[in-house]
């Protein structure tokens, strides 16, 4: 299907799509009532104005409270000095900015050729994607963390590597799972960026220790290891490996040894595939694979954490796998896992309630990687800045069909032809370079799709 060629046709199409998104949002009960944002707001408000402790607060009518590291509470401290509606408005604006930054970094080059029309289509598509709409509706921070990590990728891709690592370090200090991207920097031998990310994460954590020593002691010695503070492992929104194991044996506790073995296997696959992608200079795929591994190995990966799959969709689009990207997109818009909210037993429950896990695992195993197109590198300088134009040879290359011998290459990098004179070999064109065990979850509800009484991490 070809897009409209006229501006009027494009405008009509965008208006129709926006109307369809609005109707879907209004009729399908998927709104979460800013539950997580209410928890954040209530926590810092009780801490600042009522002398409460960060991890003692409970949202009224629930058993759920703040479960992020103490540094996250410091970052959210400004909410204590504004009203709740203002805090909600600011969260919306920040998430919109984060979405724009993520799209610009991931597929901005592809969208640029379509101008406003491409950006409008991307906005409509993201508005339907369940992880994105849940992040907005909960008032969550996942898109902000993704934007921080991607900002480091952009800095490295544009030769501003001295500042790279700050975003990853801050994201890891707010939530734990983004720390896996420090591992990606180490695999890529980006030693300076990895050191900066580690120093920022440790420094932010140390700042929180100085500011709230009691809360820091409680979190790092108790809360971080207690997944029951976050929610039930077998809850259908937990689309991690541990969620699969928990639903298999519910109501019993899943085997810790089985989960640890699964984590080791996933990390081994991640290292293997990421290393191959890095060797080929395919940084876009390496980054996407890291996001996939983060979602799988985290003890709890709520549906809205799956915004870390967005880089994988960018890879599929970049590689021309549009049909596959479209099929996976439809599934991730469908909220299909909630069909097994009450009962995930049986073969259908095993397959359906873990649908998003299977997508994440499948992408980790088979995401196209290692054969990048000629495009701007994600972690190296842009191809436009480093590519050397290939001169037109003065004589055609020899081939077996013509009966001529193949040209030989000298040690100095000169291709010697058969009588045409030396031609400087400039080589091939440059290759493209291109969480969460903590958080808040929602209590069970008879109608999980419309409940505003649950939170998530």
């Amino acid at each position: 299907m070809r897009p409209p060629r006229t501006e009027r046709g494009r405008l009509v199409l965008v208006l129709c799509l926006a109307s369809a998104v609005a109707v879907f949002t209004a009729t399908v009960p998927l709104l979460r009532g800013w539950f997580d944002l209410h928890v954040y707001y209530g926590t810092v408000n009780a801490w600042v104005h009522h002398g409460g402790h960060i991890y003692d607060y409970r949202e009224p009518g629930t058993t759920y409270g703040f479960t992020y590291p103490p540094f996250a509470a410091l970052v959210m401290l400004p909410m204590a000095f504004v009203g709740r509606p203002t805090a909600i408005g600011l969260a919306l604006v920040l998430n919109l900015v984060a979405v724009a930054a993520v799209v610009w970094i991931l597929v901005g080059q592809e969208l640029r050729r379509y101008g406003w029309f491409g950006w409008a289509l991307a906005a409509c598509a993201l508005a339907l994607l369940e992880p994105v709409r849940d992040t907005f509706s909960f008032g969550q921070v996942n898109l902000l963390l993704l934007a921080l990590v991607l900002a480091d990728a952009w800095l490295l891709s544009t030769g501003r590597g001295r500042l790279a690592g700050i975003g990853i370090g801050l994201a890891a200090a707010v939530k734990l799972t983004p720390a896996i991207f420090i591992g990606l920097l180490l695999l890529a031998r980006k030693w300076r960026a990895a050191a900066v990310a580690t120093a920022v994460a440790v420094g932010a954590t140390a700042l929180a220790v100085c500011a709230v020593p009691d809360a820091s002691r409680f979190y790092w010695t108790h809360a971080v290891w207690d997944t029951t503070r976050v929610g039930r492992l077998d809850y259908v929104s937990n689309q991690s490996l541990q969620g699969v194991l928990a639903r298999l044996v519910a109501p019993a506790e899943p085997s810790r040894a089985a989960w640890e073995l699964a984590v080791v296997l996933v990390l081994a696959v991640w290292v293997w595939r990421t290393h191959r992608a890095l060797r080929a200079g395919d940084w876009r795929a390496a980054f996407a694979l890291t996001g996939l591994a983060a979602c799988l190995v985290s003890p709890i990966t709520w549906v809205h954490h799956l915004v870390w799959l967005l880089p994988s969709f960018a890879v599929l689009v970049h590689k021309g796998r549009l049909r596959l990207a479209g099929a996976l997109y439809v599934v991730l818009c469908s909220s299909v896992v909630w069909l097994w909210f009450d009962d995930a037993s049986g073969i259908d429950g095993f397959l359906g309630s873990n649908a998003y896990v299977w997508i994440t695992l499948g992408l980790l195993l088979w995401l196209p990687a290692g054969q990048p197109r000629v495009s701007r590198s994600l972690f190296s300088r842009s191809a436009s800045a480093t590519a050397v134009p290939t001169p037109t040879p003065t004589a055609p290359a020899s081939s077996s069909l013509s009966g001529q011998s193949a040209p030989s290459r000298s040690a100095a990098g000169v291709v010697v032809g058969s009588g045409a004179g030396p031609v400087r070999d400039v080589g091939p064109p440059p290759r493209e370079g291109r969480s969460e065990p903590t958080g808040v979850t929602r209590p069970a509800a008879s109608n999980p799709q419309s409940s505003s009484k649950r939170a998530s991490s």
Side-chain angles (χ1 to χ4, degrees):
M1 178 180 178
R2 294 182 179 180
R5 296 184 178 181
T6 65
E7 287 295 303
R8 177 177 294 182
R10 293 178 176 181
L11 180 59
V12 170
L13 177 59
V14 168
L15 290 176
C16 291
L17 291 175
S19 300
V21 170
V23 170
F24 177 86
T25 305
T27 56
V28 179
L30 297 171
L31 301 180
R32 311 302 189 181
W34 320 109
F35 187 90
D36 289 7
L37 185 61
H38 289 318
V39 172
Y40 308 154
Y41 184 87
T43 297
V44 297
N45 189 64
W47 173 31
V48 172
H49 299 298
H50 304 288
H53 295 287
I54 293 174
Y55 298 103
D56 288 343
Y57 175 80
R58 294 294 182 269
E59 182 66 11
T62 77
T63 60
Y64 298 104
F66 196 79
T67 54
Y68 297 161
F71 178 71
L74 293 181
V75 173
M76 298 175 185
L77 197 58
M79 284 196 296
F81 304 100
V82 299
R84 195 179 295 257
T86 302
I88 293 175
L90 290 174
L92 280 173
V93 171
L94 288 174
N95 273 323
L96 286 171
V97 172
V99 167
V102 167
V103 173
W104 179 74
I105 294 172
L106 290 178
V107 291
Q109 188 173 0
E110 286 81 358
L111 292 180
R112 193 175 298 122
R113 71 186 67 174
Y114 300 106
W116 71 269
F117 180 62
W119 284 90
L121 292 181
C124 291
L126 288 174
L128 291 178
L129 196 67
E130 186 177 7
V132 174
R133 66 178 188 247
D134 264 9
T135 295
F136 273 86
S137 189
F138 274 122
Q140 261 289 339
V141 299
N142 306 294
L143 286 168
L144 294 170
L145 300 183
L146 177 60
L148 279 174
V149 176
L150 276 170
D152 275 347
W154 179 80
L155 287 171
L156 288 165
S157 73
T158 55
R160 298 174 175 89
R162 290 188 177 183
L163 297 176
I166 296 176
I168 292 175
L170 288 174
V174 172
K175 279 191 174 183
L176 300 182
T177 302
I180 192 174
F181 288 94
I182 299 178
L184 172 61
L185 296 177
L186 293 174
L187 284 176
R189 300 184 179 182
K190 298 290 184 179
W191 310 120
R192 179 187 177 90
V196 170
T198 303
V200 169
V202 172
T205 302
L207 175 63
V209 170
C210 295
V212 281
D214 292 340
S216 296
R217 185 183 307 108
F218 174 79
Y219 179 81
W220 293 109
T221 61
H222 176 71
V224 69
W225 314 108
D226 185 8
T227 57
T228 62
R229 290 177 52 85
V230 185
R232 296 189 347 254
L233 293 176
D234 65 324
Y235 186 57
V236 73
S237 183
N238 184 14
Q239 293 292 303
S240 68
L241 291 175
Q242 193 165 50
V244 175
L245 296 175
R247 283 185 287 276
L248 273 176
V249 300
E253 289 294 318
S255 168
R256 185 172 183 83
W259 174 67
E260 290 174 348
L261 176 61
V263 167
V264 169
L265 292 175
V266 164
L267 289 178
V269 172
W270 167 66
V271 170
W272 169 59
R273 297 218 66 209
T274 301
H275 180 66
R276 293 189 62 179
L278 292 172
R279 288 185 61 186
D282 193 354
W283 282 92
R284 193 196 302 249
F287 183 85
L289 290 167
T290 306
L292 295 168
C295 292
L296 290 169
V297 303
S298 176
I300 291 183
T301 298
W302 303 130
V303 169
H304 55 77
H305 293 166
L306 298 179
V307 295
W308 294 99
L309 270 62
L310 289 177
S312 297
F313 279 91
V315 170
L316 293 176
V317 171
H318 184 68
K319 303 291 186 179
R321 307 292 180 85
L322 300 183
R323 291 184 179 180
L324 177 59
L328 298 181
Y329 168 80
V330 169
V331 176
L332 282 169
C333 289
S334 67
S335 301
V336 64
V337 297
W338 297 100
L339 295 175
W340 288 270
F341 170 71
D342 292 317
D343 183 8
S345 61
I347 296 298
D348 64 319
F350 177 70
L351 297 176
S353 68
N354 302 307
Y356 298 166
V357 181
W358 309 140
I359 288 176
T360 309
L361 188 58
L363 287 171
L364 180 68
L365 292 171
W366 295 297
L367 186 74
Q371 296 179 344
R373 294 187 334 192
V374 178
S375 177
R376 191 177 76 172
S377 170
L378 191 62
F379 273 10
S380 61
R381 293 181 182 273
S382 63
S384 61
T386 58
V388 179
T390 304
T392 303
T394 57
S398 301
S399 67
S400 58
L401 293 178
S402 64
Q404 298 175 346
S405 59
S408 60
R409 185 189 305 270
S410 72
V414 176
V415 176
V416 182
S418 54
V423 179
R424 177 67 57 186
D425 178 21
V426 298
R431 294 180 179 237
E432 158 190 299
R434 288 226 212 223
S435 311
E436 3 277 82
T438 62
V440 191
T441 88
R442 306 173 283 184
S446 58
N447 185 358
Q449 296 299 303
S450 60
S451 171
S452 62
K453 298 295 186 180
R454 10 191 342 257
S456 50
S457 69

